[in-house]
Amino acid sequence: MGDPVTEYTARLQQQEQEIQRLSAEIKNLENSQNLSPSPRLEELREENARLKYRLNILKKSLQEESLSQRGKAMLNINKRLQEVFGEAIRVSCPELDNPPLSIAPSQQAKFGDYQCNSAMSMSQMLKAKGTKMNPREIAERIIKNLPDNELVQKTEVAGPGFINIYLQKTFVSKQLSNVLINGVQPPPLPSKKKVVVDFSSPNIAKEMHVGHLRSTIIGESMCRLFEFLGYEVLRLNHLGDWGTQFGMLIAHLQEMFPDYLTVSPPISDLQAFYKESKKRFDTDEEFKKRAYQCVIKLQSKEPEFIKAWNLICDVSRKEFQKIYDCLDITLIERGESYYQDLMVEVVKEFEKKGLVELDEGRKVVFPPGQPIPLTIVKSDGGYTYDTSDLAAIHQRIFEEKADIIIYVTDSGQSMHLQVVFAAAQLIGWYDPKVIRVEHTGFGVVLGEDKKKFKTRSGDTVRLMDLLDEGLKRSMDKLKEKERDKVLTPEELTKAQRAVAFGCIKYADLSHNRNNDYVFSFDKMLDDRGNTAAYLLYAFTRIRSIARLAKIDEATLKKAAETTEILLDHEKEWKLGKCIQRFPEILQKILDDLLLHTLCDYLYELATTFTEFYDSCYCVEKDRQTGEVIKINMWRMLLCEATAAIMAKSFDILGLNPVERM
């Protein structure tokens, strides 16, 4: 089923075109002789009127639903300020086309809560048009033309033309109450969009290593962000599950386990199996010939060779799944094999449009402005990764009908993907103004010696070994803090997994993905600074405040509906504003896909909460007896709002906090 509004609008447009055509036809005829109106025209006009009526009802219903949803959603204050100041700027200088609009949170409280820094740029634009106007004068004009709004308390011009913006405390207080009553709800999307995220993508018959860690963690977190914001997300695992290497694996399988068709072969160490077959392929000519024959039969889809291929893939899948289960990763497998039949059509389409050139027997495509071509057919007639990636992007655009396609691979793939995207645009598959296709590259994982992360023997670090080491280290840390003496065995195991896997994920996500980062268990398990260990402990402490004061969930829920959250103390106000910045942080990440921004915000929120908690009593106790004598409920609600935002941030980052740690 399509969108009803879109369907009705399309039918209306068709009918109105038909009405115009018939009206013009009748007018021409009436010029020569008196004719009665066309019955077809009257019929169309009646149906047109009915459609317009239905469309208006639908639009009104959708508008009411959107307003209702918007009322429950967290407001992006920066975006709302942009709307208010954008209108004032347009009225102040109507002669400027696309005047600059710059709104940002103030770095210091003395400069207000936000700043509008547009006046200086506007002054330069006016000067270029031959009009001299002081930036302060422009700033004054903007303030004078501000429309009535619900969130600005006062404004002032500072320095050369900055506008300091002070927010209404009652407005922010209501927004915080909304978070507690309705939960952490994202702003509604203007329209539902589909996102395809291609991430993780290990190779069959090879173990996942530390190089796959970043793609898996970053891709999962991006999916969670898009899902939270209301997008339809397709999480794809583009496995390396096809190619000539399967010939040697199947040939080796047939010799080692000749009854593999009836008895499942006991292959537990596929990496060793791969090495054995590769060694034979490199040294044994007869074996190499058999391997090539196996490739041909596999590509011809002979049943026994497909079964052998499936057996090998299944062993790898089980090993991959162990890692995905540890890291709480969800993926749909769609490897290179999925696109085999599509490659034929892709090559034909490029040839039909005259975009293929011959180069020493190879069929190549030269997208304009790119330094290298794509080889879509090898000289022996075989296909390449280029062909496979073109088939994949074609399928995602035309079959999946994706609005956004994201490839999460290391930065070494950037040139290859840039050429693939250019070829897809060259052939007319997508317009980058309509469909967003992006490579979110990332740097490599380094050891503490600042060199590529390796084992002592120089081998690539197995991902499963790394996760096991993380579990061991986190348990040591918990025992060092004597948590084993206060937690039940079940709670201790939950805390161990939360700390181990949370720290590994957060250490990756808290760095700018474009940069390399140093992998250090000591740093990531440190409970000081911007680490998962610190944030998980901080969250557990915030969650325990109400529990220790013996305030149950029902009491807090009722208080959220009846108690005004006061923001009179400077630390209350600072925390309230910080909580309310969550939607603008998510919007920034949506624009640049840099997840470390959320980690930086989460750390800022935790430290701002600590400042608040140290300065503002939430629960007042008798110093001698320790009995609770007063509960400042509005402050308890600030604690709950902080915890709610932290919990949602953890969920997006893939961290699993526990109540007791």
Side-chain angles (χ1 to χ4, degrees):
M1 288 289 289
D3 172 19
V5 172
T6 307
E7 286 177 13
Y8 279 130
T9 305
R11 283 171 64 189
L12 269 175
Q13 286 171 346
Q14 285 176 350
Q15 285 189 355
E16 282 173 354
Q17 284 171 1
E18 179 73 358
I19 287 169
Q20 284 172 2
R21 188 186 65 78
L22 285 169
S23 297
E25 199 175 302
I26 288 168
K27 199 168 184 180
N28 287 336
L29 289 168
E30 282 176 344
N31 288 338
S32 56
Q33 54 185 327
N34 189 22
L35 291 173
S36 59
S38 160
R40 171 68 181 145
L41 181 60
E42 292 306 313
E43 187 186 311
L44 271 172
R45 279 182 172 150
E46 280 180 28
E47 191 182 346
N48 193 269
R50 285 197 298 272
L51 277 172
K52 278 182 178 172
Y53 176 72
R54 287 181 203 159
L55 185 61
N56 286 333
I57 289 175
L58 262 173
K59 281 183 174 174
K60 191 177 177 184
S61 171
L62 284 169
Q63 195 174 21
E64 286 170 2
E65 190 182 324
S66 176
L67 286 169
S68 167
Q69 193 182 351
R70 196 168 290 150
K72 292 179 181 178
M74 284 190 80
L75 180 79
N76 184 332
I77 288 180
N78 195 312
K79 191 177 179 184
R80 180 71 186 111
L81 286 171
Q82 285 182 38
E83 290 169 3
V84 170
F85 277 80
E87 188 178 330
I89 285 167
R90 282 190 294 275
V91 173
S92 301
C93 294
E95 65 271 40
L96 289 181
D97 296 323
N98 298 316
L101 177 58
S102 173
I103 306 274
S106 297
Q107 298 303 307
Q108 295 180 49
K110 65 181 180 181
F111 299 132
D113 304 313
Y114 284 80
Q115 275 191 332
C116 174
N117 305 329
S118 299
M120 285 72 78
S121 300
M122 290 169 69
S123 176
Q124 291 295 319
M125 289 175 77
L126 286 167
K127 188 177 178 183
K129 283 178 169 281
T131 305
K132 284 189 177 181
M133 194 181 292
N134 187 292
R136 284 186 67 91
E137 189 184 339
I138 296 171
E140 294 287 0
R141 269 200 194 187
I142 293 168
I143 289 173
K144 187 182 173 185
N145 287 308
L146 281 174
D148 290 339
N149 63 85
E150 73 285 16
L151 74 166
V152 178
Q153 183 200 3
K154 68 170 185 174
T155 53
E156 61 188 22
V157 179
F162 300 112
I163 301 174
N164 295 340
I165 305 164
Y166 294 83
L167 299 176
Q168 290 272 14
K169 288 186 178 177
T170 51
F171 171 78
V172 174
S173 173
K174 284 175 185 173
Q175 294 299 314
L176 294 168
S177 296
N178 175 53
V179 169
L180 292 165
I181 294 165
N182 296 308
V184 184
Q185 302 281 351
L189 286 174
S191 60
K192 187 87 170 178
K193 289 189 174 182
K194 185 170 186 178
V195 185
V196 171
V197 184
D198 176 330
F199 69 106
S200 192
S201 310
N203 292 310
I204 293 291
K206 292 183 182 178
E207 285 183 296
M208 286 180 75
H209 54 77
V210 73
H212 295 108
L213 183 68
R214 298 205 76 181
S215 176
T216 305
I217 290 171
I218 294 167
E220 173 69 25
S221 190
M222 281 184 185
C223 291
R224 287 169 178 252
L225 172 67
F226 278 111
E227 285 163 350
F228 171 64
L229 294 172
Y231 291 80
E232 180 189 348
V233 180
L234 181 61
R235 303 148 158 264
L236 292 185
N237 197 0
H238 190 78
L239 289 178
D241 66 351
W242 201 254
T244 53
Q245 75 271 27
F246 282 94
M248 67 183 192
L249 288 165
I250 292 169
H252 192 52
L253 177 76
Q254 288 174 332
E255 290 188 16
M256 298 297 292
F257 306 103
D259 56 353
Y260 73 92
L261 289 170
T262 53
V263 180
S264 185
I267 305 171
S268 56
D269 189 346
L270 197 55
Q271 185 83 352
F273 189 82
Y274 179 89
K275 284 179 180 176
E276 288 167 14
S277 63
K278 182 74 170 72
K279 187 179 178 182
R280 292 192 65 193
F281 185 83
D282 291 339
T283 58
D284 185 337
E285 280 301 317
E286 284 301 313
F287 180 80
K288 186 182 275 191
K289 285 177 188 174
R290 285 198 300 278
Y292 280 133
Q293 286 302 311
C294 289
V295 172
I296 292 165
K297 290 180 179 180
L298 176 64
Q299 289 174 342
S300 302
K301 298 185 180 176
E302 291 190 19
E304 66 180 86
F305 289 86
I306 289 292
K307 177 158 188 183
W309 172 72
N310 273 321
L311 281 169
I312 293 162
C313 289
D314 284 343
V315 175
S316 274
R317 282 189 194 104
K318 285 172 188 169
E319 293 304 309
F320 297 157
Q321 197 56 47
K322 288 177 189 174
I323 287 163
Y324 295 147
D325 289 344
C326 284
L327 296 174
D328 196 16
I329 307 294
T330 306
L331 280 155
I332 291 171
E333 183 186 316
R334 195 172 285 175
E336 291 168 10
S337 60
Y338 182 88
Y339 304 101
Q340 289 306 299
D341 294 340
L342 294 172
M343 291 190 209
V344 180
E345 298 307 315
V346 163
V347 172
K348 280 182 186 173
E349 189 174 342
F350 272 93
E351 287 178 326
K352 189 178 176 183
K353 294 195 175 177
L355 300 172
V356 176
E357 295 180 29
L358 283 175
D359 178 37
E360 296 180 355
R362 298 177 304 143
K363 291 182 179 179
V364 297
V365 175
F366 284 91
Q370 299 304 315
I372 54 171
L374 292 176
T375 299
I376 59 171
V377 181
K378 294 187 290 186
S379 55
D380 64 2
Y383 297 130
T384 67
Y385 287 122
D386 295 350
T387 334
S388 172
D389 285 335
L390 284 169
I393 197 170
H394 182 278
Q395 193 273 340
R396 291 161 188 181
I397 292 167
F398 293 102
E399 290 183 35
E400 298 302 341
K401 302 197 182 314
D403 300 290
I404 303 170
I405 306 170
I406 295 168
Y407 293 76
V408 188
T409 68
D410 66 85
S411 296
Q413 296 287 319
S414 60
M415 178 63 72
H416 164 69
L417 287 171
Q418 178 185 308
V419 182
V420 169
F421 301 162
Q425 289 172 54
L426 171 67
I427 200 168
W429 290 347
Y430 80 97
D431 177 351
K433 291 175 186 171
V434 179
I435 298 176
R436 179 182 180 184
V437 181
E438 199 163 330
H439 172 223
T440 55
F442 51 82
V444 298
V445 183
L446 304 174
E448 293 191 68
D449 58 0
K450 306 288 174 70
K451 294 178 182 175
K452 208 166 181 181
F453 198 30
K454 301 271 186 185
T455 63
R456 285 181 183 174
S457 61
D459 293 332
T460 305
V461 179
R462 293 173 69 245
L463 199 41
M464 203 68 223
D465 290 346
L466 198 73
L467 299 181
D468 288 341
E469 177 71 11
L471 286 169
K472 178 184 174 299
R473 298 270 195 127
S474 67
M475 182 58 82
D476 291 345
K477 190 77 178 177
L478 289 163
K479 286 181 176 177
E480 184 188 308
K481 294 170 79 72
E482 298 189 337
R483 303 310 295 160
D484 54 322
K485 293 179 181 176
V486 293
L487 299 176
T488 66
E490 187 184 351
E491 287 173 336
L492 188 64
T493 301
K494 275 187 180 178
Q496 176 197 23
R497 292 178 72 83
V499 171
F501 303 142
C503 285
I504 289 170
K505 289 179 182 181
Y506 193 83
D508 191 317
L509 295 168
S510 61
H511 289 83
N512 185 322
R513 62 173 168 76
N514 290 311
N515 302 332
D516 300 341
Y517 89 97
V518 175
F519 190 98
S520 166
F521 274 122
D522 290 338
K523 284 181 183 173
M524 63 179 70
L525 289 166
D526 194 340
D527 52 14
R528 295 161 299 175
N530 188 6
T531 65
Y534 167 75
L535 291 166
L536 289 166
Y537 287 127
F539 178 78
T540 303
R541 283 196 298 275
I542 295 168
R543 279 288 193 218
S544 70
I545 294 167
R547 188 175 68 244
L548 294 172
K550 296 182 177 159
I551 305 170
D552 61 24
E553 207 171 306
T555 304
L556 286 166
K557 194 171 183 182
K558 188 176 179 184
E561 294 169 351
T562 57
T563 305
E564 182 186 359
I565 298 175
L566 303 176
L567 301 167
D568 298 331
H569 192 286
E570 63 169 321
K571 299 300 182 186
E572 292 171 340
W573 181 228
K574 186 178 178 182
L575 179 60
K577 288 187 295 178
C578 190
I579 291 168
Q580 203 52 42
R581 274 187 29 238
F582 184 59
E584 47 188 278
I585 295 296
L586 297 188
Q587 183 57 53
K588 185 180 183 306
I589 301 166
L590 201 62
D591 294 338
D592 61 23
L593 301 176
L594 293 170
L595 290 154
H596 71 276
T597 306
L598 181 55
C599 300
D600 291 344
Y601 167 75
L602 195 48
Y603 181 59
E604 182 190 342
L605 180 60
T607 52
T608 304
F609 177 84
T610 301
E611 287 177 29
F612 153 78
Y613 193 67
D614 289 346
S615 304
C616 306
Y617 288 117
C618 298
V619 180
E620 296 181 33
K621 295 180 180 179
D622 186 289
R623 289 189 179 181
Q624 292 181 330
T625 65
E627 283 184 33
V628 174
I629 54 174
K630 186 182 179 186
I631 292 171
N632 295 317
M633 189 55 80
W634 79 92
R635 288 176 177 163
M636 293 301 303
L637 294 176
L638 269 172
C639 295
E640 288 301 300
T642 303
I645 297 296
M646 287 186 79
K648 181 49 67 180
S649 299
F650 285 149
D651 186 54
I652 291 168
L653 296 170
L655 276 63
N656 295 311
V658 290
E659 287 296 323
R660 283 167 59 78
M661 186 177 283

